[in-house]
Amino acid sequence: MFADVSFPISTYRVFTYSVPRNLEDRVKIGVRVSAPFGARKKVQGVVVDLRREKRFKGKTHPISAVVDETPIFDKALWDLLNWVSRHYLTPMGQVMRTAVPSRLTSSYSPPEQLMVRAVNGLGENLSALAESSPRQHRAMKFLKQRRDSIPVAALTSVIKNPWDACRALERKGYVTLARVPRIPDVSDLSFLPIQREIHFTPAQEKIMKGLEAWLEKKKFTPCLLHGVTGSGKTEIYIHLARRAELQGRRSLILLPEISLTPQIAGRFRSVFGDRVAIWHSRMTSAERAWTWKQICEDRYGVIVGARSAIFSPVRSVGLIVVDEEQESAFKQESPAPRYHARDVALMRGKLCGALTILAGATPSLESYYNQAVGKLSSIRLKTRYGGASYPQVDVVNMTEERGETGDYDSVLSRLLIEKIGERLKKGEQAILLQNRRGFSSILYCGDCGHVEMCRNCRISLTFHKAESVLKCHYCNFQKSLPRTCQECGGTELLLLGAGTQKVEEGLRERFPGLRLVRMDLDTTRRKGAYTRILTKFAEGDYDILLGTQMVAKGLHFENVTLVGIINADTGLYLPDFRAGERTFQLIYQVAGRSGRGEKPGEVVIQTSNPDNPAISCASRLDLERYYNICLSEREELTYPPFSWLAKIEFSGREREAVEREAIRFGGSMVNKPEHISALGPAPCPIERIKNNFRYQIIFKSPKKKDENGSKLHRFLENVFVNSSFSSRARGMGTYVDVDPASLL
């Protein structure tokens, strides 16, 4: 028997291997195997086909081993992976690398650790032991204070070389030793179970009955759950997951931000206990391996996780929820496959016959449009859960305020300072959003106008005051803060722009003794940092939570009565057609963190562009008006949701070579279908990242002429798959991004 194997490399070729007789019963389509490949000894790949005879006369190597003792995919999940491979034009081996990283296996066994426990009723008189062996005596005194077994390694804080001492104590009958599996501790990935009594309003009850009816049918039902912030969407997910479990089916809950995982997981744990699995990129390899094995063994009823959780090998899926479905974090930018978890969730729901809910207070324009034309069922939650009122919103024109005060370096408006002071006096809390980390975003020379740029990327360096360094947030290049301008030698160096560190410094100067915690990428790098920060804030240990967009969505704190948006213009004028939409969604979302309990809330929006539609509509919480403006603009320019989009990107170290290759490729597209238009080739808005120059071509296909995107897809497939396309230029990279989330 022979097997075609796909490896995690950027080629659509499959490689044929012979199947040893002793492995014939275990080698199946969809199973991972280890096999010799190229100069490397053994590489993991996935079996994509089996046959009795090989197709060529050359020599074949045998498969070395089977990685998965039992098939890890049911038919629906295997079909999903094949769809991802076809839709995103990605070889199956690369799809498998994302869906099932090489270290994950259903046969995983955690490493063992040696545990020690003091024997009850023995060792009451330790004086003799103290004289003969002081180390053993100290160990026994420590163990007698513990009721349960502890790892022998834990005694290193008490004595040196505890293993020898514990073995000696075992021989004397003082302790028992046992080897047990070291189960990963995932307690810091979730809040403690958050108990909350649920009382749905009559309107919510009506919606629940409709959703339950769809769930009972066990047929694919895609719907958009459009609920205002604080409308109780999480409670609806929990209720539906309980109904699915009664049917013997499982639930997948996808979240865009890791910071949302601990709080929502805590809510689910209050209902499902240990039958809730958490899955995201910040887990250790041991935690991921253990959790993945438990999922394979059907130990969980609910999977809560980030985008890659959509590939979890959970069987009998009855409910899929994509919470905050508009978030760009659901799109994997790199490496391939460049999939969007929202669209993959819809396809998995279709293959599994699951109720699939796309949810959010600010749905993506695509989903908003699809429910308007009937492609998605529509459900609206127009009131907040528990009768909470929506916050009062104030807009501060920072251009006018700086002109009045003469302080052009001010970060906090007088109104926001006043409102923060009021909250501190009342013992209430505030959330402040500044969607830029670091201290200052630009180091500017006042003598010659030079801006300090990254040597590898075409962007300015950000100053981080705590470390006194300039950093690039794309490639992590850093350098010390110079004393003079490297261009003219001038000494008038100015730090312009404000990040979370600068806001923090200003707040601490203004409010001495302020209990403030900052939550951004710099403060949450360590494992469990998200959970620790949010838990302490929930318990009232901090007055203010200051952070980037990770504080804007999904968080529920009843004592938060003020939200301040430091610079609502951040990201507004990026050269991307979704820039305004994302600005509106971010402002609307973070405003919804205020006043979620019995106390009324307020929001202060600071901006230099109060008349911009994204900001003015968000300040009035007028979603329909802004979305209608956006849809009108998109239709005129034939951008999504009125077209299908694909981006071809070329990158390399030499700018001229990249430009030539992009022009060569563009010139070969003269025979493309008439209805498909091309923009470019042109440099990407961020022309250089990590020392690679970037060019792109954007293909658009109007939906009126290409109803389901099949024409654009066939065109791309013919170029990149059927023609075995490869770049002619050495050191060049070329990739296709179907349905790109960003054109930057």
Side-chain angles (χ1 to χ4, degrees):
M1 188 164 68
F2 297 89
D4 286 346
V5 180
S6 177
F7 292 98
I9 55 177
S10 56
T11 177
Y12 292 91
R13 285 185 58 196
V14 295
F15 300 84
T16 302
Y17 290 84
S18 61
V19 180
R21 288 189 177 277
N22 64 317
L23 298 180
E24 285 186 353
D25 292 339
R26 297 162 60 196
V27 174
K28 298 178 175 65
I29 293 176
V31 165
R32 290 175 301 166
V33 296
S34 176
F37 183 78
R40 291 174 286 183
K41 291 183 179 180
K42 294 176 184 176
V43 179
Q44 283 189 17
V46 59
V47 177
V48 297
D49 199 6
L50 291 170
R51 61 175 57 86
R52 288 293 171 187
E53 297 180 358
K54 62 181 179 180
R55 296 175 178 173
F56 58 92
K57 296 181 180 179
K59 181 181 178 182
T60 58
H61 295 283
I63 287 173
S64 305
V66 175
V67 176
D68 305 301
E69 293 301 323
T70 57
I72 55 176
F73 305 118
D74 58 12
K75 184 179 185 304
L77 186 49
W78 178 243
D79 289 345
L80 178 72
L81 298 179
N82 278 279
W83 177 85
V84 170
S85 176
R86 294 191 305 272
H87 184 76
Y88 294 102
L89 302 172
T90 305
M92 177 56 83
Q94 289 185 311
V95 174
M96 285 291 294
R97 181 175 60 188
T98 293
V100 190
S102 59
R103 293 183 180 180
L104 301 186
T105 169
S106 57
S107 59
Y108 169 81
S109 295
E112 291 186 337
Q113 62 181 345
L114 190 62
M115 304 291 289
V116 59
R117 180 174 185 170
V119 175
N120 291 333
L122 292 178
E124 297 299 332
N125 184 2
L126 300 178
S127 56
L129 192 61
E131 295 177 3
S132 61
S133 179
R135 283 197 312 124
Q136 295 175 26
H137 179 258
R138 289 198 301 274
M140 279 303 301
K141 286 185 66 176
F142 185 83
L143 290 170
K144 282 175 64 64
Q145 298 171 5
R146 269 73 181 165
R147 293 182 178 181
D148 298 321
S149 299
I150 66 169
V152 171
L155 288 168
T156 53
S157 61
V158 180
I159 60 173
K160 294 181 179 179
N161 197 3
W163 291 271
D164 289 344
C166 286
R167 290 191 183 97
L169 288 169
E170 182 187 35
R171 289 194 295 270
K172 296 174 182 178
Y174 283 101
V175 302
T176 58
L177 294 174
R179 289 195 173 276
V180 299
R182 184 185 298 162
I183 307 300
D185 180 11
V186 295
S187 59
D188 61 351
L189 301 178
S190 167
F191 278 20
L192 292 174
I194 302 171
Q195 303 292 340
R196 187 179 301 153
E197 201 169 338
I198 302 174
H199 298 288
F200 290 122
T201 64
Q204 290 170 324
E205 287 284 359
K206 184 178 179 180
I207 288 171
M208 286 302 312
K209 288 180 179 178
L211 289 168
E212 287 174 7
W214 286 339
L215 189 66
E216 292 293 333
K217 290 180 180 179
K218 298 185 179 181
K219 292 182 179 179
F220 171 55
T221 308
C223 67
L224 175 65
L225 176 56
H226 181 187
V228 298
T229 55
S231 56
K233 293 186 290 292
T234 302
E235 313 307 328
I236 290 176
Y237 309 157
I238 291 172
H239 181 82
L240 291 173
R242 292 176 69 179
R243 301 285 298 188
E245 189 172 53
L246 291 174
Q247 297 176 354
R249 307 176 82 193
R250 308 291 173 250
S251 300
L252 282 170
I253 314 296
L254 303 187
L255 307 173
E257 296 279 356
I258 298 173
S259 59
L260 302 183
T261 309
Q263 196 170 54
I264 291 182
R267 285 292 300 118
F268 272 92
R269 283 181 59 199
S270 69
V271 177
F272 295 92
D274 292 337
R275 288 184 54 73
V276 178
I278 302 172
W279 187 264
H280 57 64
S281 60
R282 291 293 183 92
M283 298 169 69
T284 66
S285 57
E287 289 168 350
R288 289 168 68 86
W290 175 254
T291 303
W292 199 81
K293 181 183 179 182
Q294 298 293 97
I295 293 173
C296 289
E297 295 176 354
D298 198 27
R299 300 290 179 87
Y300 298 114
V302 179
I303 315 296
V304 178
R307 62 173 179 253
S308 61
I310 192 58
F311 298 115
S312 298
V314 59
R315 301 173 189 272
S316 301
V317 177
L319 173 68
I320 301 175
V321 175
V322 185
D323 194 35
E324 307 297 352
E325 58 86 24
Q326 79 282 354
E327 286 300 316
S328 59
F330 281 124
K331 173 73 174 182
Q332 175 156 302
E333 300 289 352
S334 184
R338 294 172 174 83
Y339 69 95
H340 200 300
R342 177 192 62 214
D343 300 328
V344 177
L346 287 168
M347 179 53 67
R348 185 163 190 181
K350 183 177 182 179
L351 294 169
C352 294
L355 171 60
T356 306
I357 299 175
L358 310 182
T362 56
S364 63
L365 270 182
E366 287 86 347
S367 296
Y368 184 82
Y369 175 79
N370 284 336
Q371 61 87 25
V373 298
K375 289 186 177 181
L376 294 173
S377 299
S378 179
I379 301 170
R380 291 294 302 271
L381 288 169
K382 298 181 179 180
T383 58
R384 285 187 143 190
Y385 180 75
S389 58
Y390 222 73
Q392 174 188 327
V393 180
D394 295 299
V395 179
V396 178
N397 187 328
M398 293 301 288
T399 301
E400 291 182 357
E401 172 144 333
R402 286 165 180 154
E404 292 172 2
T405 62
D407 183 2
Y408 291 92
D409 196 39
S410 63
V411 176
L412 302 172
S413 65
R414 291 168 293 184
L415 179 63
L416 183 55
I417 292 171
E418 176 188 331
K419 297 296 182 183
I420 291 173
E422 290 176 3
R423 266 56 189 186
L424 294 177
K425 290 179 182 178
K426 293 180 181 179
E428 297 171 357
Q429 294 173 297
I431 292 178
L432 302 181
L433 170 74
Q434 171 64 352
N435 201 22
R436 179 173 287 151
R437 63 190 176 99
F439 187 86
S440 294
S441 54
I442 295 174
L443 178 63
Y444 175 82
C445 177
D447 293 326
C448 71
H450 173 72
V451 174
E452 197 72 27
M453 304 287 286
C454 174
R455 69 183 185 188
N456 302 319
C457 310
R458 200 171 183 81
I459 63 167
S460 61
L461 293 171
T462 299
F463 177 57
H464 287 247
K465 190 171 185 178
E467 303 156 88
S468 191
V469 296
L470 295 167
K471 286 186 181 180
C472 173
H473 291 168
Y474 280 84
C475 71
N476 207 34
F477 165 76
Q478 53 185 283
K479 60 182 292 186
S480 57
L481 185 69
R483 295 183 178 179
T484 59
C485 174
Q486 66 175 24
E487 288 294 310
C488 69
T491 57
E492 192 180 349
L493 297 180
L494 306 174
L495 290 168
L496 307 179
T500 50
Q501 292 179 8
K502 188 172 185 178
V503 175
E504 179 182 12
E505 183 179 274
L507 285 166
R508 293 193 186 281
E509 289 176 357
R510 177 73 62 171
F511 301 101
L514 178 67
R515 299 183 305 163
L516 178 147
V517 61
R518 175 164 52 89
M519 194 163 99
D520 55 27
L521 188 60
D522 297 318
T523 62
T524 57
R525 293 184 187 277
R526 299 187 66 179
K527 181 177 177 292
Y530 289 98
T531 308
R532 287 191 293 273
I533 290 174
L534 295 177
T535 299
K536 288 186 176 182
F537 186 70
E539 292 173 348
D541 291 353
Y542 298 110
D543 303 310
I544 292 179
L545 174 64
L546 164 67
T548 53
Q549 64 179 6
M550 61 179 67
V551 305
K553 298 171 288 292
L555 302 178
H556 179 93
F557 302 106
E558 294 194 358
N559 197 38
V560 170
T561 59
L562 174 66
V563 162
I565 302 171
I566 307 300
N567 185 359
D569 309 325
T570 303
L572 183 60
Y573 294 110
L574 291 173
D576 186 273
F577 72 95
R578 287 193 173 97
E581 176 190 356
R582 287 177 178 157
T583 298
F584 172 88
Q585 290 167 344
L586 185 61
I587 295 172
Y588 192 108
Q589 286 279 352
V590 73
R593 301 312 106 205
S594 179
R596 296 170 72 94
E598 296 179 358
K599 303 172 185 176
E602 289 186 80
V603 178
V604 176
I605 300 174
Q606 300 183 168
T607 175
S608 296
N609 300 277
D611 297 327
N612 184 281
I615 293 174
S616 63
C617 290
S619 66
R620 296 193 301 271
L621 307 173
D622 192 347
L623 183 143
E624 282 76 12
R625 175 174 172 76
Y626 181 70
Y627 276 31
N628 287 333
I629 292 172
C630 274
L631 287 172
S632 177
E633 293 174 347
R634 300 274 184 91
E635 186 173 24
E636 184 177 350
L637 298 171
T638 323
Y639 273 111
F642 298 98
S643 68
W644 302 103
L645 214 62
K647 178 175 73 171
I648 316 300
E649 184 174 310
F650 309 84
S651 64
R653 295 300 176 98
E654 298 180 9
R655 178 178 181 175
E656 292 77 12
V658 175
E659 183 180 22
R660 283 196 305 270
E661 184 66 8
I663 292 173
R664 180 188 74 81
F665 182 91
S668 68
M669 296 293 104
V670 292
N671 295 323
K672 64 177 174 56
E674 288 185 5
H675 69 277
I676 296 177
S677 60
L679 304 177
C684 295
I686 304 177
E687 187 177 1
R688 184 161 56 111
I689 294 179
K690 296 181 179 179
N691 233 9
N692 281 306
F693 290 92
R694 307 161 65 235
Y695 270 67
Q696 66 183 11
I697 301 176
I698 308 299
F699 290 105
K700 294 194 294 185
S701 182
K703 286 190 175 179
K704 290 182 180 179
K705 297 182 179 181
D706 190 0
E707 183 59 32
N708 57 7
S710 58
K711 294 178 182 178
L712 176 61
H713 202 273
R714 278 198 301 272
F715 164 68
L716 295 171
E717 199 171 42
N718 288 333
V719 172
F720 286 95
V721 181
N722 299 338
S723 67
S724 300
F725 170 85
S726 63
S727 176
R728 293 179 184 176
R730 190 174 182 180
M732 282 282 302
T734 306
Y735 74 80
V736 58
D737 186 358
V738 178
D739 307 324
S742 169
L743 300 183
L744 295 178

